[in-house]
Amino acid sequence: MKDKTKAILKDKNITKTIFLLSLPVMISNVLKSVHDLVDIYFISNLPLSKESIEAQVSAITLTNPVIQISNAIALGLMIAGTSIMSKHIGAKDESKAKMVSGQLFVLSFITGIVVNVILFFLTHPILHLMNIKIGTMLYENAYLYLRYRSFECIFLYVFYAFVATKQASGDTITPVIFNVVSIFINIVLTWLFLSRLHMTLDGAALATVISNAMIVPFCLILLRKKKNNPIRLEPKHLLFCKKVISDLFKVGFPATLSFVITSLAFIIINRLVVDFDSTTIYAIGIGNRINALLLLPTLSIGTIITTFVGQNMGAKQYERVKKGCILAMVLTIGITIVLGLVMYVLRDYLLSIFIKKSVSSDAFVLCKKFLLLLILGFPFMGCFQVWVGYFQGIGRTDLGLILSSIRLWIIRLPLLFIMIYRFHYGSFSVYYSMIISNAAVALLGIMMYQYVKIDATKINKTDKKLHYKEDKNGKKQHSFI
């Protein structure tokens, strides 16, 4: 891990460093997206009626924003942990990084349990707010799927804490390995439950929960290893530390709120989408899933920028921070253009994986048109992700929150309402408003970048000295004061 930290802090070829570090994250994110797509793939290929398949696939896509909200706290804490720990590692203060990691795991476990309980018992009110009518096939499937998926919260929260710890130290490979194992388990179990035990959506959801749960014990064991492990957890790191908990919440709250308002915005969008016919809902859901899959490389660069910027902030290399951000932006734009061209050429093949043309030719044709619009928006979305990663890295998660809020609540949602109800653009309004909102915040990010002085930015206030005190046995214990 020291070699990776050295590359982040010293390597002259910054573009190469960012790309190589983001590559494992990219693979991990692709696998995570495939993890989510496994359910859709197997459901789409079941020997069921067109109506049943569309209802089950739509249930998965429509409940996705709710699941994203349930994971928002975990993602916010992960970003806070990565930002704070990477700063401490950059400042060569691993003892503080270990304490942050320990508190992050405790918080993640507790909040995972709370969110699990809330999501399970509030499934009906949530679906009612989403305008999914009781008694319909869509409601029955969405209710079942969401309740099953609620049980993965505990395991996902703990895994995100593990990912934050590894990424903060520059280890982007280990999370990939665990994701590979998880996706393999998910595929095998989904095939078993659906093909052999003749389950449907409940089997797909159960397989996802089990595959997420099985990797968590091994993550915890790995963090106890002594060799090549700069952030090795010990029991004392799990003891409550008010100062660290406070810092995690301060940095993590804006990021969490950003995820929540983003997911809430998509719930409103989905509420509007529900008014379209079942074929259109099906096409939009598949299009969005493919879009999410192909945007993962840019998400990965945004993730790595947080670590890169955080460590260099800790080392007080401010010019390197700025240079890294600009080079990451150029790299992102290049990747999105290449991916857009690839998707344009292979769009028929990509769609045929999830939509049987013989079963739903109308959805196939409609989704094909949607993908062309998505290609146009790729570079803008990529730029947005880099800006968010950069602001998270310097500790200004509030700026990421502002960008997210403007993108969805100030621009996209009002535009969507106007396009649907005033200009009657129908389902294409979803993608027109998306392109305009992403382009606007990509430009806004440039202005914010120019006016934020990073040399005066503080990621958190844990720069106070780490004091040691002896316990009854004469051993040194650390605490933040």
Side-chain angles (χ1 to χ4, degrees):
M1 304 314 145
K2 291 183 178 180
D3 291 337
K4 292 177 181 177
T5 298
K6 183 179 179 181
I8 290 172
L9 298 175
K10 302 295 181 184
D11 198 327
K12 293 181 179 179
N13 193 337
I14 295 176
T15 302
K16 177 184 175 183
T17 299
I18 292 173
F19 179 75
L20 291 179
L21 286 173
S22 65
L23 197 57
V25 179
M26 202 179 297
I27 296 170
S28 179
N29 284 339
V30 168
L31 289 172
K32 181 66 178 72
S33 184
V34 170
H35 202 293
D36 295 335
L37 287 170
V38 165
D39 293 352
I40 292 179
Y41 173 78
F42 278 99
I43 292 295
S44 297
N45 287 278
L46 286 176
L48 302 173
S49 67
K50 173 178 175 288
E51 292 74 18
S52 180
I53 290 176
E54 288 184 351
Q56 292 186 53
V57 172
S58 296
I60 295 173
T61 56
L62 290 176
T63 56
N64 185 62
V66 179
I67 293 172
Q68 294 302 317
I69 288 180
S70 70
N71 293 334
I73 298 176
L75 291 168
L77 290 174
M78 183 183 79
I79 289 168
T82 302
S83 179
I84 296 172
M85 283 186 280
S86 60
K87 182 190 176 186
H88 290 320
I89 291 172
K92 298 181 180 179
D93 197 343
E94 293 179 354
S95 58
K96 286 184 179 179
K98 291 178 182 179
M99 192 65 177
V100 172
S101 177
Q103 298 304 293
L104 182 60
F105 270 94
V106 172
L107 269 179
S108 297
F109 179 72
I110 294 172
T111 52
I113 294 174
V114 173
V115 174
N116 179 185
V117 173
I118 292 173
L119 187 59
F120 182 84
F121 287 105
L122 293 183
T123 300
H124 171 68
I126 290 170
L127 296 180
H128 177 69
L129 288 172
M130 292 176 67
N131 199 30
I132 299 177
K133 295 179 176 60
I134 299 176
T136 62
M137 193 181 297
L138 176 58
Y139 177 88
E140 292 173 358
N141 283 288
Y143 184 86
L144 183 71
Y145 189 73
L146 198 54
R147 278 205 150 187
Y148 268 92
R149 289 291 299 270
S150 69
F151 288 99
E152 73 181 5
C153 290
I154 300 171
F155 311 111
L156 275 181
Y157 272 51
V158 174
F159 182 68
Y160 283 144
F162 171 80
V163 172
T165 300
K166 287 299 178 182
Q167 287 183 354
S169 61
D171 180 6
T172 55
I173 296 176
T174 303
V176 174
I177 296 173
F178 280 104
N179 269 318
V180 169
V181 173
S182 181
I183 187 67
F184 177 76
I185 295 172
N186 190 23
I187 291 173
V188 171
L189 289 179
T190 304
W191 171 82
L192 177 65
F193 293 159
L194 272 63
S195 299
R196 291 292 177 266
L197 301 181
H198 306 295
M199 300 172 73
T200 53
L201 196 58
D202 55 340
L206 183 60
T208 302
V209 173
I210 294 174
S211 62
N212 283 320
M214 289 183 69
I215 61 173
V216 169
F218 299 97
C219 294
L220 299 177
I221 291 171
L222 193 61
L223 286 175
R224 291 285 294 147
K225 284 182 61 178
K226 293 182 178 180
K227 189 176 180 181
N228 296 325
N229 189 13
I231 306 181
R232 179 177 179 269
L233 283 187
E234 299 177 27
K236 62 184 178 182
H237 298 136
L238 302 176
L239 298 176
F240 179 77
C241 181
K242 183 179 179 181
K243 179 62 182 174
V244 180
I245 296 289
S246 175
D247 286 327
L248 283 170
F249 273 119
K250 285 178 182 177
V251 180
F253 179 75
T256 297
L257 189 57
S258 177
F259 285 116
V260 170
I261 64 172
T262 297
S263 297
L264 283 173
F266 280 108
I267 286 177
I268 294 175
I269 292 172
N270 283 346
R271 184 182 173 88
L272 296 174
V273 168
V274 167
D275 290 333
F276 297 131
D277 59 85
S278 61
T279 298
T280 301
I281 297 172
Y282 184 36
I284 290 176
I286 296 298
N288 288 346
R289 288 289 180 162
I290 294 175
N291 177 57
L293 178 63
L294 294 178
L295 276 175
L296 289 177
T298 64
L299 294 174
S300 307
I301 294 174
T303 300
I304 286 303
I305 276 297
T306 300
T307 301
F308 180 91
V309 169
Q311 288 199 18
N312 280 284
M313 284 289 290
K316 294 180 170 55
Q317 299 183 148
Y318 304 122
E319 287 303 316
R320 188 174 174 85
V321 169
K322 294 179 180 178
K323 188 176 181 181
C325 177
I326 297 301
L327 291 175
M329 191 68 67
V330 173
L331 179 63
T332 297
I333 293 172
I335 290 175
T336 52
I337 290 174
V338 171
L339 281 176
L341 292 173
V342 170
M343 190 169 88
Y344 178 79
V345 173
L346 300 178
R347 61 191 185 282
D348 283 354
Y349 173 74
L350 286 171
L351 287 175
S352 65
I353 296 175
F354 303 104
I355 302 177
K356 288 183 177 180
K357 198 171 183 179
S358 59
V359 176
S360 187
S361 59
D362 291 340
F364 189 94
V365 172
L366 188 58
C367 193
K368 191 174 178 178
K369 293 178 181 178
F370 291 158
L371 289 186
L372 294 177
L373 293 173
L374 289 171
I375 291 171
L376 295 176
F378 273 180
F380 303 125
M381 187 60 183
C383 292
F384 167 72
Q385 293 299 332
V386 173
W387 288 132
V388 171
Y390 169 75
F391 292 133
Q392 289 170 350
I394 66 173
R396 295 297 304 274
T397 50
D398 57 317
L399 297 181
L401 171 61
I402 291 171
L403 276 180
S404 296
S405 300
I406 292 174
R407 180 175 76 106
L408 293 170
W409 291 91
I410 305 299
I411 302 176
R412 188 179 300 186
L413 280 173
L415 271 179
L416 184 58
F417 274 95
I418 292 171
M419 288 180 177
I420 290 177
Y421 297 112
R422 177 68 179 84
F423 296 106
H424 307 291
Y425 289 154
S427 58
F428 288 94
S429 304
V430 175
Y431 297 99
Y432 294 152
S433 60
M434 178 198 70
I435 293 172
I436 295 171
S437 62
N438 288 343
V441 294
L443 295 174
L444 179 60
I446 296 174
M447 292 186 282
M448 294 171 72
Y449 169 81
Q450 291 176 329
Y451 287 104
V452 175
K453 296 181 179 180
I454 61 171
D455 55 336
T457 302
K458 291 184 180 180
I459 293 183
N460 55 71
K461 298 180 180 179
T462 58
D463 290 328
K464 297 180 180 181
K465 291 183 179 180
L466 185 63
H467 288 255
Y468 287 88
K469 61 181 181 180
E470 292 187 353
D471 61 14
K472 294 180 181 180
N473 298 319
K475 293 182 179 180
K476 289 184 177 181
Q477 295 180 329
H478 57 271
S479 61
F480 287 88
I481 63 172

